């Protein structure tokens, strides 16, 4: 495809749907619309019941509301371009719009990683030091943690995107994904990207990398504490409170690691593999998290049922 630039000599990029299945994009849009509807309604419902139900005004559910907020942000960040491709074949995106989308996608991704770490700390305190739970996880501490999560998730991206603006794009402008992803855009540059690559890797390691190690460490301590409990009944009860969070961690980090490995080592993989993994990476966590917490957490399940039953009455 020929290079296309606007009047200001700023490159235009071309997003990709599912290579080889362009003729079926209208049909493929149906399951994607279904997934987006689940993600938006599910996370919106979680936020609504936590805000309106006073019995859920506890640290664990405050963190869950933060998780739902970041999932909503991730969903909305990709919805327009993904469905635009499938419905209208709207593949063009300007460089400024592309960097804006990258800011929100990567920002909400880093924030979700931080929220999952905060939730792991919540479970650690609840199981390993329950008598001090209320004094450690106070409302003021949770508010400060929320601000820290937002600041951490956004400030690191500013220099990364500024570094991206210095690059020149003189080769193909076709991206592998249905949205703008930093490593994908960076590969299209015809100038040296070593600084961008190193800085991007450093950000990932200092955010999601450190978070994943600390989450793993917290569960090592939780398991050690739970195994010291004599009663098998108490052990089962303690582990059951962590099932939802462990599931959320798995569906967040496994697609992230898969996509990172694909970008670094899957250069010869078919293009549709990159696209499918990229879509799974950003769609599955927002879709699955509200389902997992609604099914596995009795208080959330009761609150959701209460909302639906009250509307029917």
């Amino acid at each position: 495809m020929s290079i296309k630039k606007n009047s200001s000599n700023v490159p235009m990029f071309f997003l990709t749907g599912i290579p080889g299945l362009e003729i079926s994009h209208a049909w493929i849009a149906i399951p994607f619309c279904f997934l987006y509807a689940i993600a938006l309604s599910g996370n919106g419902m979680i936020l609504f019941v936590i805000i309106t139900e006073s019995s859920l005004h506890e640290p664990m559910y405050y963190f869950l509301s933060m998780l739902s907020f970041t999932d909503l942000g991730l969903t909305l960040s990709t919805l327009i371009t993904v469905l635009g491709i499938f419905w209208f074949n709207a593949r063009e995106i300007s460089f400024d719009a592309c960097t804006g989308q990258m800011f929100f996608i990567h920002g909400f991704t880093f924030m979700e990683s931080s929220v999952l770490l905060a939730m792991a700390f919540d479970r650690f305190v609840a199981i390993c030091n329950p008598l001090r739970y209320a004094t450690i996880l106070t409302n003021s501490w949770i508010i400060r943690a929320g601000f820290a999560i937002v600041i951490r998730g956004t400030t690191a991206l500013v220099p990364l995107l500024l570094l991206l603006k210095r690059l020149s794009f003189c080769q193909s402008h076709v991206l592998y994904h249905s949205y703008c992803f930093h490593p994908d855009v960076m590969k299209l540059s015809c100038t040296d990207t070593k600084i961008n690559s190193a800085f991007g890797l450093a950000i990932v390691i200092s955010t999601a990398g450190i978070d994943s190690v600390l989450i793993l460490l917290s569960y090592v301590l939780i398991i050690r504490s739970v195994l010291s409990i004599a009663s098998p009944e108490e052990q089962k009860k303690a582990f059951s409170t962590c099932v939802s969070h462990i599931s959320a961690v798995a569906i967040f980090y496994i697609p992230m690691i898969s996509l990172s490995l694909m970008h670094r080592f899957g250069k010869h993989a078919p293009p549709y593999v990159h696209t499918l993994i990229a879509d799974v990476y950003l769609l599955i966590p927002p879709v699955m998290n509200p389902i997992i917490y609604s099914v596995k957490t009795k208080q959330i399940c009761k609150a959701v049922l209460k909302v639906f039953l009250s509307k029917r009455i």
Side-chain angles (χ1 to χ4, degrees):
M1 181 176 290
S2 61
I3 299 172
K4 184 175 181 178
K5 298 187 179 183
N6 62 19
S7 58
S8 301
N9 205 36
V10 178
M12 296 289 290
F13 295 110
F14 297 88
L15 301 169
T16 301
I18 299 182
L21 297 176
E22 288 83 1
I23 196 170
S24 303
H25 273 179
W27 292 103
I28 295 171
I30 295 173
F32 273 88
C33 288
F34 182 67
L35 291 173
Y36 275 114
I38 292 175
L40 293 173
S41 60
N43 288 290
M45 178 60 72
I46 294 288
L47 276 173
F48 177 77
V49 297
I50 291 175
I51 291 170
T52 58
E53 188 64 40
S54 58
S55 63
L56 299 180
H57 293 174
E58 298 177 7
M60 173 183 173
Y61 302 110
Y62 289 144
F63 289 127
L64 177 56
S65 68
M66 293 180 193
L67 184 67
S68 292
F69 175 77
T70 58
D71 280 337
L72 279 174
L74 276 175
T75 303
L76 293 171
S77 297
T78 61
L79 186 148
I80 294 176
T81 55
V82 172
L83 295 185
I85 291 171
F86 290 139
W87 278 346
F88 310 110
N89 195 33
R91 297 181 56 201
E92 292 186 12
I93 185 170
S94 68
F95 181 78
D96 289 336
C98 193
T99 54
Q101 187 179 46
M102 274 190 285
F103 177 82
F104 286 108
I105 289 175
H106 292 292
F108 280 117
T109 300
F110 294 150
M111 280 190 270
E112 180 147 345
S113 177
S114 299
V115 171
L116 290 172
L117 175 59
M119 296 174 82
F121 179 71
D122 170 80
R123 292 298 84 207
F124 167 74
V125 176
I127 294 172
C128 299
N129 202 352
L131 297 178
R132 295 191 59 200
Y133 183 81
T135 58
I136 294 175
L137 293 170
T138 61
N139 288 340
S140 61
W141 187 92
I142 293 170
I143 291 171
R144 290 198 298 271
F147 278 115
I149 287 169
V150 173
I151 293 170
R152 183 195 188 210
T154 55
T155 52
L157 289 172
V158 175
L160 186 69
L161 297 181
L162 289 176
L163 284 171
L164 193 66
K165 283 183 174 289
R166 73 180 181 87
L167 300 179
S168 298
F169 299 91
C170 53
Q171 301 174 12
S172 170
H173 286 194
V174 181
L175 300 170
Y176 273 120
H177 307 317
S178 306
Y179 53 82
C180 290
F181 189 62
H182 179 261
D184 197 15
V185 175
M186 191 174 60
K187 284 181 180 179
L188 299 181
S189 174
C190 55
T191 51
D192 186 20
T193 60
K194 289 180 181 178
I195 295 176
N196 299 69
S197 182
F199 195 81
L201 182 61
I203 290 175
V204 171
I205 292 173
S206 63
T207 52
I210 291 177
D211 292 346
S212 61
V213 172
L214 292 176
I215 290 171
L216 179 61
L217 177 62
S218 70
Y219 273 102
V220 169
L221 297 174
I222 286 171
I223 291 170
R224 189 179 70 174
S225 177
V226 170
L227 292 178
S228 66
I229 299 173
S231 169
E233 185 79 19
E234 291 178 341
Q235 291 180 2
K236 184 179 179 180
K237 185 178 179 181
F239 279 128
S240 67
T241 64
C242 300
V243 171
S244 298
H245 180 252
I246 292 172
S247 301
V249 169
I251 64 175
F252 176 76
Y253 281 104
I254 291 174
M256 175 187 279
I257 293 169
S258 300
L259 184 61
S260 298
L261 292 174
M262 183 59 63
H263 270 283
R264 294 191 178 277
F265 306 110
K267 296 178 181 179
H268 303 293
Y272 67 84
V273 174
H274 289 264
T275 305
L276 289 175
I277 292 178
D279 290 336
V280 167
Y281 161 59
L282 290 186
L283 254 181
I284 294 302
V287 169
M288 292 303 299
N289 282 336
I291 295 174
I292 290 169
Y293 277 95
S294 296
V295 172
K296 292 292 185 181
T297 308
K298 291 181 180 179
Q299 291 86 343
I300 293 292
C301 184
K302 288 179 181 178
V304 171
L305 288 174
K306 182 179 176 182
V307 170
F308 279 109
L309 290 175
S310 64
K311 285 185 177 180
R312 295 182 90 179
I313 294 171

